[in-house]
Amino acid sequence: QVQLVESGGGLVQAGGSLRLSCAASGFTLPAYAIGWFRQAPGKEREGVSCISHSAGSTNYVDSVKGRFTISRDNAKNTVYLQMNSLKPEDTAIYYCAAVRLFGLCDLMDEYDYWGQGTQVTVSS
């Protein structure tokens, strides 16, 4: 059974940090680029970051550059999103998803697998 399971969300004060994990099972994680997305209440889902198969390439939405870091451990079938200097506007449900090509990271419709999401709440 193909699964992506996010964990690590929670409630944190502004300026704090969280590390999200995305654990894959049922498919070969190294064969996919992995994206992190988020959806705040009343807003559309947006791309946050993406990492290529071998972690040689990454991208970030401008609002998180310098604060978030994406990484992956293919041996553990896990991708991480380290989030520092969190702001209340980072509050959202965060999802990870798998896509065949890093070049398709910005195209949500191209993703093959999605996790169920983990809630991140940043208080002011």
Coordinates of all heavy atoms in Angstrom, one line a residue, residues 49-113:
S49 N 8.0 24.0 -0.8 CA 9.4 23.7 -1.1 C 9.3 22.3 -1.9 O 8.4 21.6 -1.8 CB 10.2 23.5 0.2 OG 11.5 23.2 -0.1
C50 N 10.4 22.1 -2.6 CA 10.5 20.8 -3.3 C 12.0 20.4 -3.4 O 12.9 21.3 -3.4 CB 10.0 21.0 -4.7 SG 9.8 19.4 -5.6
I51 N 12.2 19.1 -3.4 CA 13.6 18.6 -3.4 C 13.7 17.5 -4.5 O 12.8 16.7 -4.6 CB 14.0 18.1 -2.0 CG1 15.5 17.7 -2.0 CG2 13.1 16.9 -1.6 CD1 16.0 17.5 -0.5
S52 N 14.8 17.5 -5.2 CA 15.0 16.5 -6.2 C 15.3 15.1 -5.7 O 15.5 15.0 -4.5 CB 16.0 17.0 -7.2 OG 17.3 17.1 -6.5
H53 N 15.4 14.2 -6.5 CA 15.5 12.8 -6.1 C 16.8 12.6 -5.3 O 16.8 11.9 -4.3 CB 15.7 11.9 -7.4 CG 14.6 12.1 -8.4 ND1 14.4 13.2 -9.1 CD2 13.5 11.3 -8.7 CE1 13.3 13.1 -9.8 NE2 12.8 11.9 -9.7
S54 N 17.9 13.2 -5.7 CA 19.1 13.0 -5.0 C 19.5 14.1 -4.1 O 20.6 14.2 -3.5 CB 20.3 12.8 -6.0 OG 20.4 14.0 -6.8
A55 N 18.5 15.0 -3.9 CA 18.7 16.2 -3.1 C 19.7 17.2 -3.6 O 20.1 18.2 -3.0 CB 19.1 15.9 -1.6
G56 N 20.0 17.1 -4.9 CA 20.9 18.0 -5.5 C 20.3 19.4 -5.9 O 21.0 20.4 -6.1
S57 N 19.0 19.4 -5.9 CA 18.3 20.6 -6.2 C 17.1 20.8 -5.3 O 16.4 19.8 -4.9 CB 17.7 20.6 -7.7 OG 18.8 20.5 -8.6
T58 N 16.9 22.1 -4.9 CA 15.8 22.4 -4.0 C 15.2 23.7 -4.5 O 15.9 24.5 -5.2 CB 16.2 22.5 -2.6 OG1 17.2 23.6 -2.4 CG2 16.7 21.2 -2.0
N59 N 13.9 23.9 -4.2 CA 13.4 25.3 -4.4 C 12.4 25.6 -3.2 O 12.0 24.7 -2.5 CB 12.7 25.4 -5.7 CG 11.5 24.5 -5.9 OD1 10.9 24.1 -4.9 ND2 11.1 24.2 -7.1
Y60 N 12.2 26.9 -3.1 CA 11.4 27.4 -2.0 C 10.5 28.5 -2.5 O 10.9 29.4 -3.3 CB 12.2 27.9 -0.8 CG 13.2 26.9 -0.2 CD1 14.5 26.7 -0.7 CD2 12.7 26.1 0.9 CE1 15.3 25.8 -0.1 CE2 13.6 25.2 1.4 CZ 14.9 25.0 0.9 OH 15.7 24.1 1.5
V61 N 9.3 28.6 -1.9 CA 8.5 29.8 -2.1 C 9.2 31.0 -1.4 O 9.8 30.8 -0.4 CB 7.1 29.6 -1.6 CG1 7.0 29.5 -0.1 CG2 6.1 30.7 -2.2
D62 N 9.0 32.2 -2.0 CA 9.8 33.3 -1.5 C 9.5 33.6 0.0 O 10.4 34.0 0.8 CB 9.4 34.6 -2.3 CG 10.0 34.6 -3.6 OD1 11.0 33.8 -3.9 OD2 9.6 35.4 -4.5
S63 N 8.3 33.3 0.5 CA 7.9 33.7 1.8 C 8.6 32.8 2.9 O 8.6 33.2 4.1 CB 6.4 33.5 2.0 OG 6.0 32.2 1.7
V64 N 9.3 31.7 2.5 CA 9.9 30.9 3.5 C 11.4 30.8 3.2 O 12.2 30.2 4.0 CB 9.3 29.4 3.5 CG1 7.8 29.5 3.6 CG2 9.8 28.6 2.3
K65 N 11.9 31.4 2.2 CA 13.4 31.4 1.9 C 14.2 31.9 3.1 O 13.8 33.0 3.6 CB 13.7 32.2 0.6 CG 13.3 31.5 -0.6 CD 13.6 32.3 -1.9 CE 13.2 31.6 -3.1 NZ 13.5 32.4 -4.3
G66 N 15.2 31.2 3.5 CA 16.0 31.6 4.6 C 15.5 31.2 5.9 O 16.2 31.3 6.9
R67 N 14.3 30.6 6.0 CA 13.7 30.2 7.2 C 13.5 28.7 7.2 O 13.6 28.0 8.2 CB 12.4 30.9 7.5 CG 12.5 32.4 7.6 CD 11.2 33.0 8.1 NE 10.1 32.8 7.2 CZ 9.0 32.2 7.5 NH1 8.8 31.7 8.8 NH2 8.0 32.0 6.6
F68 N 13.1 28.1 6.1 CA 12.8 26.7 5.9 C 13.9 26.0 5.2 O 14.5 26.6 4.3 CB 11.5 26.5 5.2 CG 10.2 26.9 5.9 CD1 10.3 27.6 7.1 CD2 9.0 26.5 5.4 CE1 9.1 28.0 7.8 CE2 7.8 26.9 6.1 CZ 7.9 27.6 7.2
T69 N 14.2 24.7 5.5 CA 15.1 23.9 4.8 C 14.6 22.5 4.6 O 14.1 21.9 5.5 CB 16.4 23.8 5.6 OG1 17.0 25.1 5.9 CG2 17.5 23.0 4.8
I70 N 14.6 22.1 3.3 CA 14.1 20.8 3.0 C 15.3 19.9 2.8 O 16.3 20.3 2.3 CB 13.2 20.9 1.7 CG1 12.5 19.5 1.4 CG2 14.1 21.3 0.5 CD1 11.5 19.6 0.3
S71 N 15.1 18.6 3.2 CA 16.2 17.7 3.1 C 15.6 16.3 3.0 O 14.4 16.1 3.2 CB 17.2 17.7 4.3 OG 16.5 17.4 5.5
R72 N 16.4 15.3 2.6 CA 15.8 14.0 2.5 C 16.9 12.9 2.9 O 18.1 13.2 2.7 CB 15.3 13.7 1.1 CG 16.4 13.6 0.0 CD 15.7 13.6 -1.4 NE 14.9 12.4 -1.6 CZ 14.0 12.3 -2.5 NH1 13.7 13.3 -3.3 NH2 13.3 11.2 -2.7
D73 N 16.4 11.8 3.4 CA 17.3 10.7 3.7 C 16.7 9.5 3.0 O 15.7 8.9 3.5 CB 17.3 10.5 5.2 CG 18.3 9.4 5.6 OD1 18.6 8.5 4.8 OD2 18.7 9.4 6.8
N74 N 17.2 9.2 1.8 CA 16.6 8.1 1.0 C 16.7 6.8 1.7 O 15.9 5.9 1.5 CB 17.2 8.1 -0.4 CG 16.7 9.2 -1.2 OD1 15.6 9.8 -1.0 ND2 17.5 9.6 -2.2
A75 N 17.8 6.6 2.5 CA 18.0 5.3 3.2 C 16.9 5.1 4.2 O 16.5 3.9 4.5 CB 19.3 5.3 3.9
K76 N 16.3 6.2 4.7 CA 15.2 6.1 5.7 C 13.9 6.3 5.0 O 12.8 6.4 5.7 CB 15.4 7.1 6.8 CG 16.6 6.8 7.7 CD 16.8 7.8 8.8 CE 17.9 7.4 9.7 NZ 18.1 8.4 10.8
N77 N 13.8 6.5 3.7 CA 12.6 6.8 3.0 C 11.8 8.0 3.6 O 10.6 7.9 3.7 CB 11.7 5.6 3.0 CG 11.8 4.8 1.7 OD1 12.7 5.0 0.9 ND2 10.9 3.8 1.5
T78 N 12.6 9.0 4.0 CA 12.0 10.1 4.7 C 12.5 11.5 4.1 O 13.7 11.6 3.8 CB 12.3 10.0 6.2 OG1 11.8 8.8 6.7 CG2 11.6 11.2 7.0
V79 N 11.6 12.4 4.1 CA 11.9 13.8 3.7 C 11.5 14.7 4.9 O 10.5 14.4 5.5 CB 11.2 14.2 2.4 CG1 11.4 15.7 2.1 CG2 11.6 13.3 1.2
Y80 N 12.3 15.7 5.1 CA 12.1 16.6 6.2 C 11.9 18.1 5.7 O 12.4 18.4 4.7 CB 13.4 16.6 7.1 CG 13.7 15.2 7.6 CD1 14.8 14.5 6.9 CD2 13.1 14.6 8.7 CE1 15.1 13.2 7.3 CE2 13.4 13.3 9.1 CZ 14.4 12.6 8.4 OH 14.8 11.4 8.8
L81 N 11.2 18.8 6.6 CA 11.1 20.2 6.4 C 11.4 20.9 7.7 O 10.6 20.8 8.6 CB 9.7 20.6 5.9 CG 9.6 22.1 5.5 CD1 10.4 22.4 4.3 CD2 8.1 22.5 5.2
Q82 N 12.6 21.5 7.8 CA 13.0 22.2 9.0 C 12.5 23.6 8.9 O 12.8 24.3 7.9 CB 14.5 22.2 9.2 CG 15.0 23.0 10.4 CD 14.6 22.3 11.7 OE1 14.7 21.1 11.9 NE2 14.1 23.2 12.7
M83 N 11.6 24.0 9.9 CA 11.0 25.3 9.8 C 11.5 26.2 11.0 O 11.2 25.8 12.1 CB 9.5 25.2 9.8 CG 9.0 24.3 8.7 SD 7.2 24.3 8.6 CE 6.7 23.6 10.2
N84 N 12.2 27.2 10.8 CA 12.7 28.1 11.8 C 12.1 29.5 11.7 O 11.5 29.8 10.6 CB 14.2 28.2 11.7 CG 15.0 26.9 11.9 OD1 14.5 26.0 12.6 ND2 16.1 26.8 11.2
S85 N 12.2 30.3 12.7 CA 11.7 31.6 12.7 C 10.2 31.6 12.3 O 9.8 32.5 11.4 CB 12.5 32.5 11.9 OG 13.9 32.5 12.3
L86 N 9.4 30.8 12.8 CA 8.0 30.6 12.3 C 7.2 31.9 12.6 O 7.4 32.6 13.7 CB 7.4 29.4 13.0 CG 7.8 28.1 12.3 CD1 7.5 26.9 13.3 CD2 7.1 27.9 11.0
K87 N 6.3 32.2 11.7 CA 5.4 33.3 11.8 C 4.0 32.9 11.9 O 3.7 31.8 11.4 CB 5.6 34.2 10.6 CG 7.1 34.7 10.4 CD 7.2 35.5 9.1 CE 8.6 35.9 8.8 NZ 8.7 36.7 7.6
P88 N 3.1 33.7 12.4 CA 1.7 33.3 12.5 C 1.1 33.0 11.1 O 0.3 32.1 10.9 CB 1.0 34.5 13.1 CG 2.0 35.1 14.0 CD 3.3 34.9 13.2
E89 N 1.6 33.6 10.1 CA 1.2 33.4 8.7 C 1.6 32.0 8.1 O 1.2 31.6 7.0 CB 1.6 34.5 7.7 CG 3.0 34.9 7.8 CD 3.3 36.1 8.7 OE1 2.7 36.1 9.8 OE2 4.1 36.9 8.3
D90 N 2.5 31.3 8.9 CA 2.9 30.0 8.5 C 1.8 28.9 8.9 O 1.9 27.8 8.6 CB 4.2 29.6 9.1 CG 5.4 30.4 8.5 OD1 5.4 30.7 7.3 OD2 6.2 30.8 9.3
T91 N 0.9 29.4 9.7 CA -0.2 28.5 10.2 C -0.9 27.9 9.0 O -1.5 28.6 8.2 CB -1.1 29.2 11.1 OG1 -0.4 29.6 12.3 CG2 -2.3 28.3 11.5
A92 N -1.0 26.5 9.0 CA -1.6 25.8 7.9 C -1.5 24.3 8.1 O -0.8 23.9 9.0 CB -0.9 26.2 6.6
I93 N -2.2 23.6 7.3 CA -2.0 22.1 7.2 C -0.9 21.9 6.2 O -1.0 22.5 5.1 CB -3.3 21.4 6.8 CG1 -4.3 21.6 7.9 CG2 -3.0 19.9 6.7 CD1 -5.7 21.0 7.5
Y94 N 0.1 21.2 6.6 CA 1.2 20.9 5.7 C 1.1 19.5 5.1 O 0.9 18.6 5.9 CB 2.6 21.1 6.4 CG 2.9 22.6 6.6 CD1 2.2 23.4 7.5 CD2 3.9 23.2 5.9 CE1 2.5 24.7 7.7 CE2 4.2 24.5 6.1 CZ 3.5 25.3 6.9 OH 3.8 26.6 7.1
Y95 N 1.3 19.4 3.8 CA 1.2 18.1 3.1 C 2.6 17.9 2.4 O 3.2 18.8 1.9 CB 0.1 18.2 2.1 CG -1.2 18.5 2.6 CD1 -1.7 19.8 2.7 CD2 -2.1 17.5 2.9 CE1 -3.0 20.1 3.1 CE2 -3.4 17.7 3.3 CZ -3.8 19.1 3.5 OH -5.1 19.3 3.9
C96 N 2.9 16.6 2.3 CA 4.0 16.2 1.4 C 3.4 15.4 0.3 O 2.3 14.8 0.4 CB 5.1 15.5 2.1 SG 4.6 13.9 2.8
A97 N 4.1 15.4 -0.8 CA 3.6 14.7 -2.0 C 4.8 14.3 -2.9 O 5.9 14.9 -2.8 CB 2.7 15.6 -2.8
A98 N 4.6 13.3 -3.7 CA 5.6 12.7 -4.5 C 5.3 12.9 -6.0 O 4.2 12.7 -6.5 CB 5.8 11.2 -4.3
V99 N 6.3 13.4 -6.7 CA 6.2 13.7 -8.2 C 7.4 13.1 -8.9 O 8.5 13.0 -8.4 CB 6.1 15.2 -8.4 CG1 7.3 15.9 -8.0 CG2 5.7 15.5 -9.9
R100 N 7.2 12.6 -10.1 CA 8.2 11.9 -10.8 C 9.4 12.7 -11.2 O 10.6 12.3 -11.1 CB 7.6 11.3 -12.1 CG 6.9 10.0 -11.9 CD 7.9 8.8 -11.6 NE 7.2 7.5 -11.5 CZ 7.8 6.4 -11.3 NH1 9.2 6.4 -11.2 NH2 7.2 5.3 -11.2
L101 N 9.2 14.0 -11.6 CA 10.2 14.8 -12.0 C 10.3 16.1 -11.2 O 9.3 16.8 -11.0 CB 10.0 15.2 -13.5 CG 10.0 14.0 -14.5 CD1 9.6 14.5 -15.9 CD2 11.3 13.3 -14.5
F102 N 11.5 16.5 -10.9 CA 11.8 17.8 -10.1 C 11.2 18.9 -10.9 O 10.7 19.9 -10.4 CB 13.2 17.9 -9.8 CG 13.6 19.2 -9.1 CD1 13.2 19.3 -7.7 CD2 14.2 20.2 -9.7 CE1 13.5 20.5 -7.0 CE2 14.5 21.4 -9.0 CZ 14.1 21.5 -7.7
G103 N 11.3 18.8 -12.2 CA 10.8 19.9 -13.1 C 9.3 20.2 -13.0 O 8.8 21.2 -13.5
L104 N 8.6 19.2 -12.5 CA 7.2 19.3 -12.3 C 6.7 19.7 -10.9 O 5.5 19.7 -10.6 CB 6.5 18.0 -12.7 CG 6.8 17.5 -14.1 CD1 6.1 16.1 -14.3 CD2 6.3 18.4 -15.2
C105 N 7.7 20.1 -10.1 CA 7.4 20.4 -8.7 C 6.3 21.5 -8.6 O 5.5 21.4 -7.6 CB 8.6 20.9 -8.0 SG 9.7 19.6 -7.3
D106 N 6.2 22.4 -9.5 CA 5.2 23.5 -9.3 C 3.8 23.1 -9.8 O 2.8 23.9 -9.6 CB 5.6 24.7 -10.1 CG 6.9 25.4 -9.5 OD1 7.1 25.2 -8.3 OD2 7.6 26.1 -10.2
L107 N 3.7 21.9 -10.3 CA 2.4 21.5 -10.9 C 1.7 20.5 -10.0 O 2.0 19.3 -10.1 CB 2.6 20.9 -12.3 CG 3.4 21.9 -13.3 CD1 3.6 21.2 -14.6 CD2 2.6 23.1 -13.5
M108 N 0.8 21.0 -9.2 CA 0.1 20.1 -8.2 C -0.6 18.9 -8.9 O -0.6 17.8 -8.3 CB -0.9 20.9 -7.4 CG -0.3 21.4 -6.1 SD -1.5 22.2 -5.1 CE -1.5 23.8 -5.7
D109 N -1.1 19.1 -10.1 CA -1.8 18.0 -10.8 C -0.9 16.9 -11.2 O -1.4 15.8 -11.5 CB -2.6 18.6 -12.0 CG -3.7 19.4 -11.6 OD1 -4.2 19.4 -10.4 OD2 -4.3 20.2 -12.4
E110 N 0.4 17.1 -11.2 CA 1.3 16.1 -11.7 C 1.8 15.2 -10.6 O 2.4 14.2 -10.8 CB 2.6 16.8 -12.3 CG 2.3 17.6 -13.5 CD 1.9 16.7 -14.7 OE1 2.2 15.5 -14.7 OE2 1.2 17.2 -15.6
Y111 N 1.4 15.5 -9.3 CA 1.9 14.7 -8.2 C 1.1 13.3 -8.2 O -0.1 13.3 -8.4 CB 1.7 15.4 -6.9 CG 2.8 16.4 -6.7 CD1 2.8 17.6 -7.4 CD2 3.9 16.1 -5.8 CE1 3.9 18.5 -7.2 CE2 4.9 17.1 -5.6 CZ 4.9 18.2 -6.3 OH 5.9 19.1 -6.1
D112 N 1.9 12.3 -7.9 CA 1.3 10.9 -7.9 C 0.7 10.5 -6.5 O -0.3 9.9 -6.4 CB 2.3 9.9 -8.3 CG 2.8 10.1 -9.7 OD1 1.9 10.0 -10.6 OD2 4.0 10.3 -9.9
Y113 N 1.4 10.9 -5.5 CA 1.0 10.5 -4.1 C 1.0 11.7 -3.2 O 1.8 12.6 -3.3 CB 1.9 9.4 -3.6 CG 2.2 8.3 -4.5 CD1 3.4 8.0 -5.0 CD2 1.1 7.5 -4.9 CE1 3.7 6.9 -5.8 CE2 1.3 6.4 -5.8 CZ 2.6 6.1 -6.2 OH 2.8 5.1 -7.0

